[in-house]
Amino acid sequence: MRTVFLYAIGLWLLLASGCGNQSVDTQKDPAVIGHIPSRSVESSDRLLQRNGDRIYFRGDLYSGIILERDSAGAIISRQSYYQGREEGWSEWYYPSGKINARRYYHLGEKDSVHTGWWESGQPRFEYHFHKGHYEGWFKEWYASGNRLKEIWYEGGEEKRGTGWRENGKCYMSFEVRNGRLYGQINPNLCYTLKNEQGEFIRSVRQ
């Protein structure tokens, strides 16, 4: 009986460990914990240069933090690099100092969960990535806190989604099966998030 009980516990632990988000474990990634030095360089430093997709400092691949400031000297971004590529957590801030967005990179590509907030502190977006591609939920909110859109991705491709106008009325509801779109999309949405105000997402309808 004891053997059966232990077997059941072991099986449960195995199944539990295999479920959930498959993104990078940002707390245990050795590139984040052990290799990125604490030094920082200002983005305006002329010794900091880009060559292709890599960042160099004094001619060497840069590992550390790059700080960007506004005209008043306030930090507006803090980006983490390892061997010339974005690695680990990077953050953006409003001039007030409040957090704007927090993103995770691995080997220069977007990974894990990217989160953004309106200056009021309301959530602005939540994007899930795996090795540079959307994987899982893509969510955005209006500044009011109302939902804007929720789209489910698999392997970088939209599979289903819903979008709402700020008054709560649905303007988009679709599902993609076997490469075909089912549902409806109203292309007259007048509100879109782009760049660091959100990720532009193409319409499924071409």
Side-chain angles (χ1 to χ4, degrees):
M1 187 67 167
R2 177 180 175 81
T3 301
V4 173
F5 175 76
L6 291 176
Y7 175 79
I9 292 295
L11 180 61
W12 180 85
L13 291 173
L14 178 63
L15 291 174
S17 66
C19 298
N21 195 329
Q22 297 301 312
S23 299
V24 173
D25 185 336
T26 57
Q27 302 302 317
K28 298 180 180 179
D29 191 332
V32 178
I33 296 175
H35 300 299
I36 300 177
S38 60
R39 67 172 178 171
S40 63
V41 174
E42 299 290 327
S43 62
S44 59
D45 195 316
R46 295 184 177 181
L47 295 177
L48 197 64
Q49 297 181 335
R50 178 180 291 276
N51 187 348
D53 63 347
R54 299 294 184 98
I55 296 294
Y56 292 79
F57 183 67
R58 297 182 184 274
D60 296 323
L61 289 169
Y62 181 68
S63 294
I65 307 301
I66 295 180
L67 300 175
E68 182 180 3
R69 301 177 185 271
D70 62 17
S71 58
I75 295 175
I76 57 175
S77 73
R78 182 182 184 278
Q79 295 177 265
S80 178
Y81 286 81
Y82 177 62
Q83 293 185 349
R85 294 189 293 193
E86 290 173 294
E87 183 70 50
W89 288 108
S90 290
E91 296 181 338
W92 286 259
Y93 305 92
Y94 290 102
S96 63
K98 293 182 178 180
I99 186 71
N100 181 319
R102 193 166 189 250
R103 301 172 181 268
Y104 187 83
Y105 295 83
H106 183 53
L107 300 177
E109 294 187 330
K110 297 175 181 179
D111 211 303
S112 193
V113 182
H114 291 210
T115 310
W117 298 266
W118 296 99
E119 195 165 6
S120 65
Q122 290 279 8
R124 189 157 49 93
F125 63 79
E126 178 184 302
Y127 307 140
H128 293 249
F129 291 92
H130 182 61
K131 296 183 178 180
H133 299 289
Y134 289 115
E135 187 69 34
W137 282 113
F138 174 110
K139 299 181 180 182
E140 293 179 343
W141 292 265
Y142 291 99
S144 64
N146 293 336
R147 293 178 299 177
L148 171 55
K149 65 177 67 170
E150 294 182 357
I151 298 176
W152 178 260
Y153 278 84
E154 293 178 10
E157 298 292 331
E158 304 112 322
K159 294 301 180 181
R160 63 182 185 273
T162 308
W164 301 267
R165 297 188 185 280
E166 194 159 11
N167 60 14
K169 292 184 178 181
C170 180
Y171 76 86
M172 173 182 73
S173 180
F174 72 89
E175 182 177 353
V176 178
R177 297 196 304 269
N178 299 320
R180 298 186 64 183
L181 172 68
Y182 296 86
Q184 60 182 3
I185 295 178
N186 185 337
N188 297 321
L189 178 66
C190 61
Y191 183 87
T192 291
L193 296 176
K194 294 183 179 180
N195 301 326
E196 289 310 323
Q197 300 305 310
E199 296 278 342
F200 174 75
I201 181 169
R202 66 177 175 82
S203 171
V204 175
R205 176 176 294 171
Q206 299 296 323

